[in-house]
């Protein structure tokens, strides 16, 4: 079957299912907002800890995200809420916990330890490189 480039593009466009963009955006907004509201609620709950409250909130959100990943609940939430689950701290915890669980059958060293940072590793690497570069630029400019 010979097709021109335009015909092929039209064929592909007809085969790809339409994404309900409005619904996807609304669900992502609600789920991301609920995660952020949970973080704010924890901040109020941990208010008596003073300046340690943000640390306690971060630890709690990472723990809950890793626990939900281990129980298979984070995947369900991500299927429903899409990009709303990528709120940085919970999304990062999921990105570390999911590969660790997936590759645990390969052993502690070659499975869990090696694969744990397959997704999060580049984020850490480029985050550190960018912060070092920005720090150097700041030092040179001031």
């Amino acid at each position: 079957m010979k097709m021109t480039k335009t015909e092929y593009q039209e064929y592909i466009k007809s085969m790809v299912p339409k994404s309900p963009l409005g619904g996807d955006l609304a669900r992502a907004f609600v789920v991301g907002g609920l995660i952020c509201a949970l973080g704010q609620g924890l901040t109020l709950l941990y208010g008596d800890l003073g300046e340690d409250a943000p640390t306690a909130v971060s630890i709690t959100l990472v723990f809950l995200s890793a626990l939900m990943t281990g129980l298979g609940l984070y995947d369900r939430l991500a299927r429903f809420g899409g990009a709303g689950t990528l709120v940085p701290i919970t999304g990062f915890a999921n990105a570390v916990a999911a590969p660790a669980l997936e590759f645990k059958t390969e052993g502690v060293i070659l499975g869990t330890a090696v694969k744990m940072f397959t997704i999060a590793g580049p984020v850490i690497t480029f985050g550190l490189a960018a912060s070092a570069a920005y720090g150097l630029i700041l030092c040179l400019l001031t």
Side-chain angles (χ1 to χ4, degrees):
M1 170 192 257
K2 287 192 169 196
M3 288 186 187
T4 66
K5 200 173 193 178
T6 307
E7 290 172 332
Y8 181 71
Q9 292 292 339
E10 289 175 21
Y11 172 72
I12 293 297
K13 198 180 282 186
S14 71
M15 297 303 287
V16 173
K18 301 283 187 231
S19 174
L21 186 60
D24 289 348
L25 289 172
R27 284 191 305 278
F29 179 78
V30 168
V31 170
L34 287 173
I35 292 170
C36 292
L38 173 64
Q40 184 61 41
L42 289 170
T43 301
L44 296 173
L45 181 70
Y46 296 148
D48 292 341
L49 295 176
E51 63 184 39
D52 291 333
T55 303
V57 171
S58 296
I59 290 169
T60 303
L61 288 173
V62 166
F63 170 76
L64 289 174
S65 178
L67 179 66
M68 287 179 64
T69 299
L71 296 174
L73 300 174
Y74 203 92
D75 287 341
R76 286 189 203 167
L77 182 65
R79 269 188 241 114
F80 174 76
T85 58
L86 296 178
V87 174
I89 195 142
T90 55
F92 188 77
N94 175 262
V96 171
L101 290 171
E102 185 177 345
F103 292 99
K104 71 181 179 181
T105 57
E106 294 180 24
V108 174
I109 302 296
L110 296 176
T112 302
V114 171
K115 300 294 185 176
M116 186 182 299
F117 293 104
T118 55
I119 296 172
V123 174
I124 295 170
T125 302
F126 288 107
L128 288 172
S131 64
Y134 297 146
L136 181 63
I137 291 169
L138 182 64
C139 284
L140 292 174
L141 294 176
T142 57

